[in-house]
Amino acid sequence: MRFPKRAAPPMEDLAALRAEIDRIDAEMHALLIQRGGIIDRLIAVKGTSASGSAFRPGREAAMMRRVAERHRGLLPLDTVEGIWRVIIATFTYVQAPFSVHADISAGDPAMRDSARFHFGFTVPYRPHPTCAAVIEAVAASRGDLGIFRFDPRAAQAPGKGRGKGPSKGEAWWEGLIGEGRPKVIARLPFIERPAHPAGTPVFVVAKPLDDPAAAQRDWVLWAVRCAAWTEEAERAVQGLYGEVVARGRPKGEAERLLLAVPGGVGARQLADALDGAGAAASSFDETGSHAARFRV
């Protein structure tokens, strides 16, 4: 059976569509230039010339949530998210230059993909062999960021393996304990969905923000030490709608855990829940916070 050939669109229609695309491209570029002008004025107002004060995790999370909620049409959400992340990170870099330090103990490709997707190519990428090295590099900087991967699934069952990368045996999160030490400010990717092009779960750490109100406290992270960790203690954390992010136990020492609980759960409530479960926790230290992820 023969099918009739589809007629080619009129050349004048193609020309008009391409002219419309060119017009839109020019408008987008002009808007980016306009945004840059506003950032230039913002720098003059805030005086952010070489510090971490340009980071606003709460504002960034709200912006990305709005992007995901309003998106529609042919363009994949991955592309839209990547464009917006690069715009946010690059204009932040213009306000206060920074580098991204990455723990590559479990491999470089996934970390490099995450850094490039979320921060773009303008921001320098600095690989390090361990989480501890990343944390110390951030601590010694003026306003750099650090990223390291984690696998919360590997930390859920008591007595099981310690997971991949930095969550394997070493209590890397204890490097975040103490006044003035770097703290977690974000968990990426913010928009979670199957087959995310930069889907490796990572924490972002930075020196304490100049404005504490800029932090996003949907979830708060606690470093906990206890004599023993049991299934009952696990259930107590889950009863607070929390999760065990990572576990470690140096030989002959107390169990070390990194717990994530909703921002409304205070240290006293968490301590009471663990004590009631027989965990006998000996210390609680806040190590940062982050926004709730947006799931698609």
Side-chain angles (χ1 to χ4, degrees), residues 95-111:
Q95 291 183 65
F98 67 96
S99 296
V100 173
H101 301 269
D103 163 49
I104 61 169
S105 59
D108 180 69
M111 300 304 291

Side-chain angles (χ1 to χ4, degrees), residues 29-48:
H29 190 191
L31 288 172
L32 287 174
I33 293 172
Q34 184 179 342
R35 195 182 197 278
I38 294 173
I39 295 297
D40 197 27
R41 288 155 53 194
L42 187 65
I43 292 172
V45 171
K46 293 169 56 179
T48 55

Side-chain angles (χ1 to χ4, degrees), residues 150 152-153 155-156 187 203 219-222 229 234 237-238 240-246 258-262 290 293 295:
F150 62 97
R153 296 170 301 175
Q156 295 303 307
R187 175 173 170 168
F203 280 133
W219 289 88
V220 176
L221 299 169
W222 293 93
W229 191 251
E234 187 88 25
V237 173
Q238 293 171 352
L240 298 173
Y241 300 97
E243 67 175 346
V244 179
V245 177
L258 181 63
L259 307 180
V261 296
H290 61 79
R293 283 94 70 198
R295 289 186 172 88

Side-chain angles (χ1 to χ4, degrees), residues 236 240 266-278 284:
L240 298 173
R268 183 72 270 165
Q269 185 179 0
L270 178 60
D272 289 345
L274 294 181
D275 286 347
F284 292 84

